[in-house]
Amino acid sequence: EKGGHDYFMLKEIEEQPAAVADTLLGHFDAGRIVLDEQRLSDQELRDVDKVFVVACGSAYHSGLLAKYAIEHWTRLPVEVELASEFRYRDPVLDRSTLVVAISQSGETADTLEAVRHAKDQKARVLAVCNTNGSQIPREADAVLYTRAGPEIGVASTKAFLAQVTANYLVGLALAQARGTKYPDEVAREYRDLEAMPELVARVLQTVEPVRALARELAHSPTVLFLGRHVGYPVALEGALKLKELAYIHAEGFAAGELKHGPIALIEEGLPVIVVMPSPKGRAVLHSKLVSNIQEIKARGARTIVIAEEGDEAVRAHADHLIEIPAAPSLLQPLLSTVPLQVFAAEVAQTRGYDVDKPRNLAKSVTVE
Ligand code: M6R
């Protein structure tokens, strides 16, 4: 049942093209994005004037990614918050606020309480969830199910990619309801999403060198991750995977913050994994990241760079280059996350750890 792998997680990493494809399935019908359950009227959806995204762990990172797409496509302000913080604050919510609660299990205590906190203040709740019939979707006003299938590995992989995909669908559903995108534009964005499973599969076919690199770096005491724009949540997710699976100190930073503190951590031989934006799609940010790489390299860092195929400008600065296919900027995280998952899993295995059941962690955190 592990599909020839030693661990479920490794099989789940391989299942990601299907997780993304299945999550899209049935959610675009007769030219319109459709949710699975909608107990809200179209008018209520149109009246939304603010979005809060609440979640924990990897689901929170998928929520950070949602902000870029939802704001860009809908012109709605989006705040993303850890459910455990949101539920104890006094957030400004009313019936025009949409709270998007993202949870693989649908049973995470803090996310569930954040949903209740939102509903008490009359906000509308949309759940993005991987588990039919779980508590969070039951209490929500609308539901979009990710269809990653059961995820056994404690570290989220295929559910994360499915969440990122579902969040984009939520963004398009809101853009469609509000009319900030014409139907043909929504259809075009959807087609871009439809092309992603094949690209994820291509990334999976080329990760062998990532495994070799992971074995080489398996005993590093610290690994840093840098990214910008949508690469920033990817850096956070890469660091979380390495912490939880390999028990290595790992931090993700927004590359623009480097000079505000983190650069002081750079020393001879420190591995730094950098997620590059597209050289064409995000040319300005791309050149800033190249400068960041030069700065850390000059201070002795070992640079591991995830970049789009054909990104010649960064090649000279990368001690190790991991190439991913070109994709629309907002969708790149569906590709750049994959080598980071593989890296963390391989480091953990090299160190002799059980990647399905990392120490001290439970698959779903149903108590605080
Ligand atoms: O079931 P949920 O999506 O609500 O779980 C949220 C987090 O507990 C979960 O993503 C956790 O951070 C994973 N272990 C990450 O790999």
Side-chain angles (χ1 to χ4, degrees):
E1 49 183 5
K2 292 174 190 157
H5 295 284
D6 292 339
Y7 292 101
F8 284 106
M9 183 195 168
L10 306 179
K11 174 171 167 265
E12 288 162 2
I13 288 175
E14 301 283 328
E15 286 171 350
Q16 293 186 108
V20 173
D22 292 349
T23 297
L24 293 173
L25 218 62
H27 287 134
F28 187 68
D29 189 38
R32 289 185 65 78
I33 302 288
V34 283
L35 305 176
D36 292 302
E37 292 167 24
Q38 190 175 326
R39 295 176 277 272
L40 289 174
S41 67
D42 287 345
Q43 186 60 44
E44 284 167 325
L45 213 51
R46 241 191 314 280
D47 287 345
V48 168
D49 63 10
K50 182 177 183 181
V51 178
F52 268 99
V53 181
V54 294
C56 304
S58 290
Y60 168 71
H61 297 153
S62 84
L64 291 174
L65 290 171
K67 177 180 169 81
Y68 297 89
I70 300 177
E71 288 185 341
H72 182 62
W73 288 336
T74 68
R75 312 307 303 136
L76 283 169
V78 180
E79 285 191 44
V80 190
E81 196 164 3
L82 293 165
S84 55
E85 290 296 320
F86 176 90
R87 62 175 286 203
Y88 290 110
R89 279 201 312 116
D90 196 5
V92 181
L93 310 172
D94 60 29
R95 56 183 69 250
S96 314
T97 311
L98 182 71
V99 172
V100 179
I102 310 167
S103 175
Q104 185 284 129
S105 60
E107 303 288 351
T108 297
D110 282 319
T111 312
L112 177 58
E113 290 305 326
V115 165
R116 292 177 175 160
H117 190 45
K119 291 196 80 174
D120 284 347
Q121 291 167 76
K122 308 277 179 273
R124 318 292 181 176
V125 175
L126 188 157
V128 171
C129 184
N130 198 45
T131 313
N132 284 57
S134 57
Q135 198 58 27
I136 292 170
R138 266 195 273 163
E139 298 195 18
D141 302 300
V143 185
L144 201 152
Y145 282 107
T146 47
R147 302 208 192 91
E151 191 178 60
I152 311 291
V154 163
S156 188
T157 54
K158 63 175 182 172
F160 174 77
L161 252 65
Q163 283 163 347
V164 175
T165 307
N167 295 345
Y168 290 138
L169 291 173
V170 169
L172 291 177
L174 285 168
Q176 164 184 284
R178 291 167 55 73
T180 49
K181 278 208 170 289
Y182 292 115
D184 61 321
E185 293 172 314
V186 172
R188 200 172 331 120
E189 301 288 356
Y190 179 82
R191 300 281 165 241
D192 284 345
L193 275 169
E194 261 192 334
M196 295 311 288
E198 205 184 308
L199 300 183
V200 177
R202 268 181 56 197
V203 175
L204 286 167
Q205 281 152 17
T206 55
V207 285
E208 210 36 59
V210 177
R211 290 201 180 93
L213 179 67
R215 290 192 288 272
E216 211 183 299
L217 298 178
H219 297 285
S220 309
T222 298
V223 178
L224 302 185
F225 294 74
L226 291 182
R228 219 170 154 153
H229 192 258
V230 292
Y232 170 43
V234 173
L236 296 178
E237 176 62 9
L240 178 61
K241 289 286 93 91
L242 197 60
K243 284 177 217 179
E244 66 178 336
L245 292 169
Y247 322 145
I248 288 182
H249 171 242
E251 295 296 330
F253 295 106
E257 280 291 291
L258 203 56
K259 291 195 185 67
H260 300 281
I263 199 163
L265 291 169
I266 307 295
E267 54 189 20
E268 198 57 40
L270 179 82
V272 182
I273 302 187
V274 184
V275 184
M276 287 301 290
S278 156
K280 291 195 206 81
R282 298 267 158 207
V284 174
L285 289 184
H286 181 273
S287 68
K288 288 182 197 279
L289 261 292
V290 171
S291 307
N292 289 146
I293 297 174
Q294 287 171 310
E295 286 153 6
I296 58 173
K297 212 170 146 63
R299 289 164 179 79
R302 183 162 175 182
T303 56
I304 299 138
V305 179
I306 301 181
E308 218 174 74
E309 284 162 359
D311 184 345
E312 293 309 321
V314 84
R315 188 176 288 275
H317 310 291
D319 293 319
H320 303 268
L321 185 64
I322 301 168
E323 291 185 295
I324 54 173
S329 280
L330 286 170
L331 308 189
Q332 194 210 47
L334 291 167
L335 307 179
S336 51
T337 305
V338 176
L340 302 183
Q341 300 166 337
V342 171
F343 180 80
E346 189 70 22
V347 170
Q349 281 188 286
T350 306
R351 291 167 69 112
Y353 304 146
D354 179 337
V355 296
D356 281 343
K357 293 191 183 62
R359 70 182 182 200
N360 306 339
L361 295 172
K363 181 63 183 162
S364 48
V365 184
T366 52
V367 286
E368 271 185 75

